[in-house]
């Protein structure tokens, strides 16, 4: 299993690369050019750098001295990113990142705007649907919530 640790400034190029690779493999084919451009801006190195300096916690999964996954918790309340290198998916890395960031939540209700292909994963982690499918700047998402971090941890441990 990879080592989970806080992101550092020198990780930013690898963080961006992992997010963009996973996004282009799984999410981009279902989006418009506007949605792809929006995500590309959000996952750019400088955008991650700004958020790392702000109130966002970014953790990385490192395996064989290489970043293979990333999770970002915005303001202790919103799961903003959870991506694993496509070549490393199916090994429990995403689950390990989620379990590592969960105790860092500062509110009793954690939210996520899940890409539609990720909804089943978040359901397994204890999230529930919260409204209809939405769209923002071309990004199509399903708002989801979990009522308490403890309930998410219990559901995640079951899988």
């Amino acid at each position: 299993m990879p080592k989970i640790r806080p992101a550092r400034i020198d990780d930013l190029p690898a963080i961006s690369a992992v997010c963009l690779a996973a996004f282009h493999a799984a999410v981009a084919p279902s989006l418009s050019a506007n949605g792809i451009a929006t995500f590309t801006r959000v996952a750019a190195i400088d955008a991650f750098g700004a958020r790392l300096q702000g109130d966002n916690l970014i953790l990385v999964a490192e395996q064989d001295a290489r970043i293979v996954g990333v999770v970002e918790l915005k303001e202790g309340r919103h799961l903003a990113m959870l991506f694993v290198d496509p070549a490393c998916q199916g090994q429990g890395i995403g689950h390990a990142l989620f379990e590592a960031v969960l105790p860092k939540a500062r509110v009793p209700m954690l939210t996520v705007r899940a890409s539609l292909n990720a909804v089943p994963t978040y359901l397994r982690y204890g999230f529930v649907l919260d409204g209809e499918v939405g769209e923002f700047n071309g990004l199509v998402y399903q708002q989801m919530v979990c009522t308490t971090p403890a309930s998410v941890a219990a559901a995640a441990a079951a899988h």
Side-chain angles (χ1 to χ4, degrees):
M1 189 51 71
K3 174 185 174 185
I4 308 294
R5 62 169 176 77
R8 302 182 302 251
I9 294 293
D10 62 330
D11 294 325
L12 295 177
I15 289 170
S16 177
V18 165
C19 289
L20 288 170
F23 172 82
H24 282 287
V27 183
S30 67
L31 297 180
S32 67
N34 183 40
I36 294 168
T38 296
F39 186 84
T40 300
R41 285 190 301 275
V42 171
I45 295 167
D46 60 339
F48 272 114
R51 294 194 306 273
L52 186 61
Q53 299 304 314
D55 192 18
N56 287 18
L57 172 67
I58 302 174
L59 301 178
V60 296
E62 187 177 49
Q63 186 170 280
D64 300 323
R66 185 171 81 84
I67 304 296
V68 296
V70 61
V71 64
E72 179 178 0
L73 183 64
K74 179 180 179 182
E75 300 169 350
R77 63 174 178 75
H78 180 77
L79 201 56
M81 297 265 185
L82 178 56
F83 286 100
V84 174
D85 181 323
C88 299
Q89 291 179 1
Q91 300 175 22
I93 295 168
H95 188 220
L97 283 162
F98 178 71
E99 287 188 335
V101 83
L102 191 59
K104 309 296 185 186
R106 301 190 307 245
V107 296
M109 183 166 300
L110 201 57
T111 61
V112 66
R113 285 184 169 181
S115 58
L116 301 186
N117 64 306
V119 168
T121 298
Y122 287 112
L123 289 170
R124 284 195 311 272
Y125 291 171
F127 284 81
V128 296
L129 303 180
D130 185 30
E132 301 299 316
V133 170
E135 182 269 333
F136 178 76
N137 287 341
L139 294 174
V140 180
Y141 65 89
Q142 173 64 60
Q143 179 73 27
M144 302 180 77
V145 298
C146 67
T147 53
T148 65
S151 69
V152 175
H159 293 354

